[in-house]
Amino acid sequence: MLISVYIPFLVTVALAVLAPPVAHRLPPRPAALALACAALVTAAGWAGSLALLAFTGVAQIPEIAEEGRWSVSALRSQDPVYAVVAAVSTLVLAVCVVSLGVAAVRQGRHLFRARRECAELPGHTELAVLDDDVPLAFALPGAPGRIVVSRGMLRRLSGTEREALLAHERAHLRRRHHVFQSVWRLTAALNPLLRPVAVAGNFVLERWADEEAAERVGDRTVVARAVGRAALASAGASRPAALAATGGVVPQRVRALLAPPPARRSLPLLAGALLLAVCCASLANAVSDSDRMLDSAQWALCRAHADTTTAATAAAPAVHGDGPGHGPDGRCPAPGRPEHGEHHF
């Protein structure tokens, strides 16, 4: 536990630094899936490591130790974590959990408002055209979701560019990109180090929709021109926080569309999978070490009660099973070896 409990932190830092630039060079669809998986695993590893470090301090509170039936002195003698580290971990974990709760409420409200706006839009088709001169174009997630475009935006684009714009927004809905956004927002709320991953993920989603639009239209240049013109037209116009063709870093998206499609690369994905496997294995090892430490502390308390009972009743017949922590035959099981009929998982 001394080393393995800190490895998820190191893996999180490595992915936060390396994942964004690597994701920009990968095909957007596998990059988005990889970033979502990395965010979930590292956020869980971050929270798990903080919880283990915090528990080493909480477990030494006399009331908690009494409830768990382990020796505080024995646990303190085996605990490899400094008290200040446990205290800081407890505080950070509490702040992160509160942040996650706030982000979850906000995300829920955002999705609720999007669904309500979908129901309030005119018409019942996938496309809703607003009679507004302000250039707007975005996708609203819902059941099944709507594409919203203003007449001001349509007037600024040619026929093929309109097709590219609608194909882009339709890709957002069909691939349920709002789910990816929710994952990145919530994991970044739990683990602030993952904010660069969330930013990179939003860019990758726009690139994913761009590539699908290019396949639909059959001309990457048309999509690049549509993205550029839509961004210039909507510059300064307020729009809801929704998936839109004008999102992300537009110049980078245009350059990517004017270049050939990105080549498939397996090595970065394999390297990322290896880092995530190391994160999971180290956390599992830390949990196992913590469990063994508690077993040893329970055994120490059991032996202390057994010795006290033996000394107090040396002249009287022993009563089997007396004293907290005793086994059914009056003996204490060895650390890590469960009593008969008891199973540890």
Side-chain angles (χ1 to χ4, degrees), residues 45-275:
W46 165 272
S49 293
L50 285 176
L52 286 175
L53 291 171
F55 182 72
T56 59
V58 173
Q60 296 176 30
I61 299 175
E63 292 77 10
I64 301 295
E66 182 179 358
E67 195 68 25
R69 294 189 175 184
W70 55 69
S71 170
V72 173
S73 58
L75 188 62
R76 187 175 293 123
S77 65
Q78 300 176 66
D79 186 9
V81 180
Y82 291 111
V84 65
V85 174
V88 171
S89 298
T90 303
L91 178 61
V92 172
L93 181 61
V95 172
C96 289
V97 170
V98 171
S99 176
L100 175 62
V102 172
V105 171
R106 288 178 177 174
Q107 188 64 15
R109 289 177 177 175
H110 169 69
L111 294 177
F112 176 77
R113 285 196 299 267
R115 288 177 179 270
R116 186 176 61 186
E117 288 181 25
C118 281
E120 294 175 352
L121 286 171
H124 301 283
T125 60
E126 181 186 48
L127 177 63
V129 179
L130 302 181
D131 189 11
D132 195 333
D133 290 333
V134 178
L136 294 172
F138 53 89
L140 281 175
R146 306 286 297 275
I147 298 173
V148 181
V149 182
S150 67
R151 295 191 184 278
M153 177 65 79
L154 294 177
R155 281 196 293 266
R156 287 166 170 79
L157 302 177
S158 66
T160 54
E161 290 169 355
R162 293 175 187 172
E163 183 183 357
L165 180 71
L166 296 179
H168 176 101
E169 303 299 348
R170 192 171 291 113
H172 282 316
L173 294 179
R174 185 171 59 251
R175 301 303 182 182
R176 302 183 67 81
H177 286 174
H178 64 281
V179 176
F180 289 85
Q181 284 188 331
S182 298
V183 168
W184 290 320
R185 287 171 183 168
L186 295 179
T187 52
L190 180 62
N191 183 355
L193 296 178
L194 293 177
R195 288 175 183 172
V197 174
V199 174
N202 290 330
F203 174 78
V204 168
L205 291 182
E206 296 300 333
R207 285 281 302 114
W208 186 354
D210 288 343
E211 291 296 329
E212 293 217 354
E215 291 181 9
R216 172 70 177 177
V217 176
D219 191 334
R220 300 175 65 82
T221 303
V222 170
V223 179
R225 192 165 57 244
V227 168
R229 286 187 176 179
L232 289 174
S234 61
S238 60
R239 62 178 177 84
L243 293 161
T246 55
V249 185
V250 174
Q252 292 185 16
R253 291 170 54 197
V254 171
R255 283 197 298 268
L257 284 167
L258 294 177
R264 295 183 178 274
R265 299 177 182 177
S266 300
L267 184 59
L269 298 177
L270 292 176
L274 179 60
L275 279 176

